Amino acid sequence: MGRPLEGIKVVEASMWAFVPVAGAMLSDMGAEVIKVEPISGDPIRGLRSVPGATGAEKMELSWECYNRGKKSITLDLKSAEGQAVLMRLLEDADVFLTNFLPRARLAMNIDEKSLRARFPKLIYAFGSAVGHRGPEGDKGGYDAISYWARGGIASALTEPDADYPVSPAGPAHGDTLSGSMLAGGICAAIAKRAMTGEASTVEVSLLNAAMWSMQRGIAQTMMDGTDNFPRPPRNRPNNVLSYNYRTSDGRFLSLCMLQQDKYWAKLMHLVGRSELADDPRYADAKARGQNIESCLNEVTAIFAAKTLAEWREILRQQDGQWDVVQHIGELHQDVQVQANDYLQTVRTTVGIDIPIVSVPMQFDGQALPAGQSPDVGAHSDEVLAAAGLSEDEIIDLKVKGVVF
């Protein structure tokens, strides 16, 4: 199966996670992605954040996940020689991808204006913290602060009486979502250029990506003049069939039966509580709302009486929407994850096999294969030679410390 972006060349000068995620997605979709790293390598390589994993002392999973399938070249972009080499790489590139701050891009002559003047057909794509316009356009950021905190997500998830705001669900949570949006924008720009010949500049900010995720709540808070999207008290949900319930073995089921009147009676008959289906206190949504505390107590007791395994078998017999609150460590055992190839195995350069999540887009009924993340500067000679540099020129650049 041919991949959709085969023949597209991307030059990526970025670090950490947000923008590299976009490059990884483009790579999985078939683009040749040349990662330009500083001489010391992308700093994310040095995190070593998984000490409990086998072989973790030899690698960083964040690097492996967000830089799969790329080619690595090291360049000192602060030097005129390094900038000249980058220009050589961009001569036949389709996309330039970066997350350097505006002042740094200007200092290195890789700002939009400079590159557009030299390469009018180049798609210029970048990620920012809070957008490049405005008084904070040169502000740096990370997903934990620009996406999660400033974007309103932490506050929306935190109970009013909590000691601290809720932390992100895991490493690069906002980076992966924002990077996916940036990759989508780049694909749209590639299509636009193919149809019109016009090259675009594409930007995604962590703040805007968070707001996109929270847009329904943002609209309501603006209209209501409130600080947060209103959530009902824990013991008074708007709908007892759109709620989380604990099972007898300490697990949770998540119900999302938004058309509660459609499912209430059938569910009560199925779980052996037919009397609740006919109880006038719970006859319809309005009645259940008026008697919400007693209704919630009844349903809570129902689900607390059986194990998760028992409820799986019972709930499969009805049409209402539900699912299990899974732990992330269980996902690899999920039958749908396995059937749809949502996970694959990639061998790292240190010889360790690691699980990699497939990009969410599948083409022609197949998951896109992920490649290996490169050692620092692993492809410098190959990339430079392909750009037309002679062996002597490459050696000279290495002697000067421009290339590792």
Side-chain angles (χ1 to χ4, degrees), residues 92-159:
D92 63 344
D94 298 285
V95 180
F96 177 66
L97 178 60
T98 187
N99 64 355
F100 291 168
L101 294 177
R103 60 179 179 271
R105 282 183 268 149
L106 191 62
M108 289 185 272
N109 299 305
I110 58 171
D111 56 292
E112 177 190 353
K113 183 178 180 181
S114 297
L115 292 188
R116 179 75 68 231
R118 188 162 182 169
F119 308 107
K121 295 299 183 182
L122 181 70
I123 294 167
Y124 191 97
F126 66 99
S128 65
V130 294
H132 76 281
R133 296 186 295 275
E136 297 179 50
D138 210 23
K139 179 182 176 67
Y142 291 95
D143 72 325
I145 53 177
S146 306
Y147 176 94
W148 192 262
R150 188 165 181 168
I153 299 174
S155 176
L157 291 174
T158 302
E159 295 294 336

Side-chain angles (χ1 to χ4, degrees), residues 232-277:
R234 176 68 189 164
N235 62 343
R236 295 187 62 83
N238 294 327
N239 174 5
V240 293
L241 296 188
S242 184
Y243 201 67
N244 296 321
Y245 293 99
R246 187 188 296 270
T247 63
S248 65
D249 52 349
R251 296 301 302 271
F252 286 94
L253 288 163
S254 182
L255 275 58
C256 191
M257 303 180 193
L258 301 181
Q259 297 171 280
Q260 54 177 306
D261 284 343
K262 177 179 179 180
Y263 301 110
W264 171 259
K266 294 178 182 178
L267 182 62
M268 292 303 103
H269 287 303
L270 178 65
V271 301
R273 295 297 304 275
S274 298
E275 75 279 8
L276 295 180

Side-chain angles (χ1 to χ4, degrees), residues 368-382:
L368 296 172
Q372 185 182 80
S373 295
D375 288 333
V376 61
H379 303 90
S380 291
D381 289 1
E382 172 192 335

Side-chain angles (χ1 to χ4, degrees), residues 192-210:
K192 177 186 176 183
R193 193 186 63 175
M195 292 185 289
T196 68
E198 181 183 350
S200 301
T201 297
V202 183
E203 177 189 7
V204 170
S205 75
L206 292 164
L207 176 59
N208 196 178

Side-chain angles (χ1 to χ4, degrees), residues 9-80:
K9 178 181 176 181
V10 179
V11 176
E12 175 196 316
S14 68
M15 297 182 289
W16 298 107
F18 165 24
V19 171
V21 164
M25 295 193 82
L26 298 173
S27 173
D28 276 14
M29 287 191 281
E32 177 190 24
V33 180
I34 298 172
K35 169 102 175 182
V36 178
E37 301 188 64
I39 299 300
S40 57
D42 186 330
I44 202 172
R45 289 178 178 271
L47 286 183
R48 298 293 184 268
S49 58
V50 285
T54 302
E57 71 283 356
K58 300 178 182 179
M59 64 179 182
E60 165 53 41
L61 284 177
S62 293
W63 166 261
E64 302 294 341
C65 289
Y66 312 139
N67 291 280
R68 66 234 233 151
K70 300 177 185 178
K71 296 178 179 178
S72 171
I73 176 174
T74 57
L75 280 180
D76 177 10
L77 292 180
K78 295 180 181 179
S79 70

